[in-house]
Amino acid sequence: MTNPTELKYASSHEWLAGDGKVGITHHAQDQLGDVVYVELPEVGREVTAGEAVAVVESVKTASDIYAPASGKIVAVNEDLEGSPEKVNESPFEGGWLFQIEVSEEGEGLMDAAAYEAENG
């Protein structure tokens, strides 16, 4: 699966959309295996780029999800509470995790080509 070119990517495998939506990459969900639970941040929470703000649990492990930008959490994907498998099925669309009102992007965000070069 190719990574959408309109997104920005963190080396910790999160993506950031222009509207502030955040999710994990296809590579990340593939490494995690079947996602069974997602712990989302509280709406209204102020976050700093690089801060652990969510947790994705799979049959293999639990993994922290880091904010790729600083700002305020303005929405979470409530569909994941009953259907965490959407992270596996549609990591770039239905499986988004939360949305940030971005005040400042994190350092080191990459375009799709750079992310793919780093992660094979």
Side-chain angles (χ1 to χ4, degrees):
M1 172 178 259
T2 58
N3 294 297
T5 57
E6 68 275 11
L7 303 176
K8 295 183 180 179
Y9 300 88
S11 59
S12 52
H13 310 294
E14 293 84 13
W15 54 261
L16 174 65
D19 65 0
K21 283 186 179 169
V22 175
I24 62 171
T25 63
H26 176 76
H27 175 80
Q29 70 79 27
D30 190 51
Q31 294 296 308
L32 283 168
D34 293 339
V35 174
V36 295
Y37 177 74
V38 178
E39 182 181 313
L40 298 169
E42 286 187 38
V43 172
R45 176 177 166 188
E46 293 285 339
V47 298
T48 303
E51 177 183 350
V53 296
V55 177
V56 173
E57 293 183 18
S58 71
V59 293
K60 293 181 185 177
T61 188
S63 183
D64 286 335
I65 306 302
Y66 301 94
S70 297
K72 183 165 88 175
I73 304 292
V74 294
V76 296
N77 187 350
E78 294 176 0
D79 291 346
L80 298 180
E81 290 177 13
S83 301
E85 67 276 3
K86 287 184 176 189
V87 173
N88 295 113
E89 295 167 355
S90 181
F92 296 111
E93 293 169 3
W96 66 277
L97 302 173
F98 54 90
Q99 188 171 12
I100 298 177
E101 185 179 278
V102 176
S103 61
E104 185 177 343
E105 287 184 3
E107 292 183 24
L109 292 180
M110 300 172 266
D111 63 16
Y115 178 79
E116 288 168 12
E118 187 176 283
N119 295 285

